[in-house]
Amino acid sequence: INKILHNYPRRSIMSFLEDRSKSDWQSLDSEHYLHPFTDHKDLGNKSRIIAKADGVYVYDIEGNQILDGMSGLWCVNIGYGRSELSEAAASQLNELPYYNSFFQCANPPSIELANKLDKITQKQFNKVFYTGSGSESIDTMIRIVRRYWEVMGHPNKKTIIARKNAYHGSTIAGVSLGGMNAMHKQGGPLLPGIEHVDQPYWFESDRSHSPDDFGKKVASQLEEKILEIGVDNIAAFVGEPIQGAGGVIIPPDSYWPEIQRICNHYGILMVTDEVICGFGRLGEWFGADHFQVKPDLMTFAKGVTSGYLPLGGVMVSEKVSSAIIDKGGEFAHGFTYSGHPASCAVAIENIRILDEENLVSRTKNEIGPYLQNKWKSLEDHPIVGETRMVGLMGAMELVPQKNSPQRFDDKSTAGMTFRNFAVNNGLVMRAVGDTIVTSPPLVISEEEVDELVEKAWICLDHTQSEMTK
Ligand code: PXG
């Protein structure tokens, strides 16, 4: 198996930072560095040191080539090694490395980017508020939504409805709005005024309804929640178009239109969290475009710069921005790095590349369908219960027995077995429990897709044999 996996051509790379050995890096890392979402007792001094990247591949400190089926953390949409972005950053850092956007100031890249974002978003959006990350975008969105209702004369409209198993970041607001039990258990108390309804996860349901009926049924929980809490207390509904970190939960087609209908009917704001789905991932500029809904606000980050520099933001519709501006006076909110000139310069260049290289329509019409088709063929494997994918964002469910609702048990190691074997054999994918997710760079070629799917099959074989042991 290892022979097959390593049979792909390797790119030569210069070894990186030769002044320390791999084990030196690892022990320094383990001495001084607290990593996000990491059990340090498990990690010990075995961290994987990634030193270089090009195209869809990353290279560890020893030069091993790994196909990045996750675009870093769902963000490197245009792939690694694009010198246009590093040059845009360098020239902006030389010109104006930093200035703030408080106190009636702005800088050219942040204005230019605001203008570009206006062009690629739906027409109700006319303004952007910049942040430094997805989590800050979520915090900002919550403050804007609540501020909107204050200035509209409805100060009790505070409650925001989100979904269980949603991921909206790691700040207190992000954790509270997200629906991850493991996160809710740590570091509370959480932010008040947040309610959760079920997620539209058909495969996890008892599958007694058709996906479309199931989508409508889950969406109707929003209406029940509004009636339970009282519409006078509800500010907004927030959802990822497709839940990413939760396991690429693709809602049935009936779901989002029903959510839109309910939000319109009760006059509450609808927010799509586009941190993963935005900037071409689903074959449209934004997830809301794919599901043909019209949100009042959209949060974004990640793909806006393809991860080359940190940047996030909130797109705000005319309706909301004009209320806050006309009725609200100063909005007391902002970050040191709101509208950071270098991040904005990189974002402008990133959007230019997405646009001029037709990467969004390529995802929708060419490479997306190409990967979707191959991904579907993984359903022939005995331990795959379902595959699903929109654009270049997909998942497969590992099951002990095909065509049965049974899952591996709660303590299942199937997903982890797959993931660890994959990364040791040149392929990065994420395991969310026993759901394997993928989200490769939008620039991936057909040959690289073939490599990804062939390697995934071999990882499935390995996982199956480990699970039967
Ligand atoms: N919203 C969504 C939909 C996200 O996916 C955030 C907000 C927060 O963004 P920041 O930039 O603050 O991290 C995210 C982030 C994973 C994983 O393992 C996913 C995210 C971040 C880290 C890990 O799937 N998504």
Side-chain angles (χ1 to χ4, degrees):
I1 283 174
N2 287 354
K3 200 166 151 236
I4 301 171
L5 285 169
H6 284 298
N7 214 7
Y8 292 91
R10 281 178 174 233
R11 300 180 180 196
S12 71
I13 60 156
M14 280 181 347
S15 79
F16 181 72
L17 296 177
E18 279 169 279
D19 54 337
R20 291 189 206 280
S21 67
K22 175 181 167 190
S23 61
D24 281 354
W25 285 115
Q26 289 175 319
S27 49
L28 275 178
D29 176 60
S30 130
E31 273 171 52
H32 302 299
Y33 194 166
L34 274 178
H35 289 246
F37 284 91
T38 296
D39 182 336
H40 283 263
K41 286 203 295 306
D42 280 353
L43 176 65
N45 57 2
K46 309 187 297 294
S47 48
R48 192 177 300 280
I49 316 287
I50 302 298
K52 221 176 153 63
D54 186 32
V56 299
Y57 294 101
V58 296
Y59 299 84
D60 68 18
I61 194 81
E62 291 172 310
N64 292 309
Q65 177 177 289
I66 306 169
L67 200 173
D68 184 3
M70 282 311 297
S71 305
L73 267 181
W74 323 79
C75 54
V76 188
N77 290 9
I78 66 163
Y80 299 95
R82 293 297 299 246
S83 55
E84 299 92 323
L85 269 62
S86 45
E87 281 158 17
S91 85
Q92 185 56 48
L93 288 170
N94 288 325
E95 187 78 16
L96 176 75
Y98 175 77
Y99 203 72
N100 67 69
S101 341
F102 290 48
F103 318 129
Q104 308 196 337
C105 293
N107 61 71
S110 62
I111 303 169
E112 189 62 52
L113 177 60
N115 184 40
K116 275 218 178 332
L117 290 168
D118 179 65
K119 301 269 180 311
I120 62 170
T121 53
Q122 295 176 6
K123 58 176 186 306
Q124 71 273 26
F125 294 113
N126 71 340
K127 295 255 185 326
V128 61
F129 194 104
Y130 291 120
T131 71
S133 68
S135 299
E136 288 176 8
S137 303
I138 289 292
D139 280 54
T140 300
M141 176 276 294
I142 293 174
R143 297 204 72 218
I144 293 177
V145 158
R146 290 179 170 172
R147 180 72 187 138
Y148 170 76
W149 289 115
E150 283 164 15
V151 303
M152 294 297 287
H154 298 283
N156 292 333
K157 281 172 90 63
K158 294 283 183 217
T159 300
I160 300 178
I161 302 174
R163 280 96 52 89
K164 295 173 190 161
N165 195 38
Y167 188 81
H168 296 296
S170 271
T171 52
I172 280 284
V175 173
S176 308
L177 192 66
M180 301 275 174
N181 288 335
M183 293 175 84
H184 285 181
K185 283 190 195 136
Q186 298 181 3
L190 300 176
L191 195 69
I194 289 170
E195 297 283 334
H196 293 93
V197 292
D198 280 343
Q199 55 178 337
Y201 192 176
W202 182 79
F203 190 78
E204 192 88 324
S205 74
D206 63 11
R207 297 177 224 160
S208 62
H209 294 81
S210 70
D212 261 6
D213 287 349
F214 175 75
K216 283 209 184 102
K217 186 166 166 282
V218 181
S220 73
Q221 287 189 18
L222 171 60
E223 186 155 28
E224 287 160 23
K225 191 55 95 180
I226 293 171
L227 296 173
E228 178 196 324
I229 309 287
V231 67
D232 294 343
N233 301 316
I234 308 284
F237 172 82
V238 181
E240 301 155 79
I242 292 176
Q243 283 154 260
V248 184
I249 317 296
I250 302 175
D253 288 343
S254 58
Y255 178 80
W256 272 107
E258 185 62 7
I259 292 286
Q260 172 99 71
R261 186 193 68 73
I262 296 167
C263 290
N264 291 351
H265 181 76
Y266 291 95
I268 66 167
L269 297 175
M270 188 172 91
V271 184
T272 54
D273 180 353
E274 303 274 356
V275 168
I276 288 178
C277 296
F279 298 93
R281 174 59 50 203
L282 305 186
E284 300 283 352
W285 278 102
F286 292 91
D289 304 329
H290 173 79
F291 288 108
Q292 299 185 350
V293 290
K294 290 179 79 181
D296 298 293
L297 297 103
M298 299 196 295
T299 47
F300 67 86
K302 294 189 190 273
V304 64
T305 57
S306 285
Y308 280 52
L309 282 179
L311 181 70
V314 184
M315 292 306 304
V316 186
S317 61
E318 225 274 294
K319 168 173 120 177
V320 174
S321 69
S322 63
I324 288 173
I325 292 167
D326 298 343
K327 301 181 203 280
E330 177 179 318
F331 177 42
H333 182 81
F335 305 103
T336 302
Y337 299 123
S338 286
H340 191 284
S343 298
C344 291
V346 164
I348 292 166
E349 201 52 20
N350 179 58
I351 292 171
R352 185 190 66 73
I353 288 173
L354 284 168
D355 187 27
E356 285 179 12
E357 298 183 7
N358 297 317
L359 293 176
V360 183
S361 62
R362 175 178 187 267
T363 299
K364 183 182 178 122
N365 301 316
E366 292 160 40
I367 199 68
Y370 186 82
L371 174 54
Q372 288 155 25
N373 192 27
K374 299 246 156 173
W375 191 249
K376 181 103 188 132
S377 72
L378 296 173
E379 278 180 10
D380 295 338
H381 198 281
I383 64 163
V384 176
E386 182 189 78
T387 64
R388 51 181 183 264
M389 186 171 286
V390 172
L392 285 172
M393 179 174 178
M396 65 177 150
E397 302 281 3
L398 306 185
V399 293
Q401 222 185 339
K402 259 189 151 27
N403 304 322
S404 133
Q406 203 195 331
R407 304 299 305 250
F408 291 108
D409 63 36
D410 283 353
K411 298 210 173 65
S412 168
T413 52
M416 272 303 145
T417 303
F418 181 108
R419 191 203 75 171
N420 293 340
F421 186 77
V423 74
N424 288 328
N425 289 282
L427 174 66
V428 182
M429 287 200 192
R430 276 253 292 117
V432 181
D434 287 340
T435 309
I436 301 297
V437 300
T438 192
S439 180
L442 310 185
V443 292
I444 193 169
S445 69
E446 291 190 356
E447 298 73 56
E448 290 158 347
V449 163
D450 295 347
E451 178 185 340
L452 183 148
V453 175
E454 281 165 36
K455 284 185 166 175
W457 184 277
I458 293 164
C459 296
L460 288 168
D461 283 347
H462 171 81
T463 307
Q464 182 185 19
S465 78
E466 287 298 304
M467 295 312 283
T468 42
K469 264 184 201 164

